[in-house]
Amino acid sequence: MTGNLVTTPNLQDADHFYAAFVATHAGLSDEASELLNARLILVLANHIGQRSVLEEALDLAKASLTPTADTAGHS
C-alpha cells in the first residue's frame, strides 16, 4: 500500500514549529494535553484527506513503537 507518504524531512522551520507545539501544551493537564494532541491529529488528517496516505502514516507510526511501548503505564 503506497499513498505517497512523505517520510523525508519536509517541515519548514522545524524548531519554530516544535516551540509552538510545546507552548500550546503549556499549562494543560495531562488529560487536556492528550485531548489537544488527538484533536490536532484529526485536524491534520482532515487536511491530508487521502485515506491511503493516512493509513500508511498509521502503519509507520505503529511500526516505530518499541516492543514495550504498548504496555508502558498499563500495569
Side-chain angles (χ1 to χ4, degrees), residues 26-41:
L28 297 178
S29 66
D30 288 347
E31 182 179 344
S33 185
E34 289 178 12
L35 184 57
L36 173 63
N37 285 339
R39 289 179 177 178
L40 177 60
I41 289 166

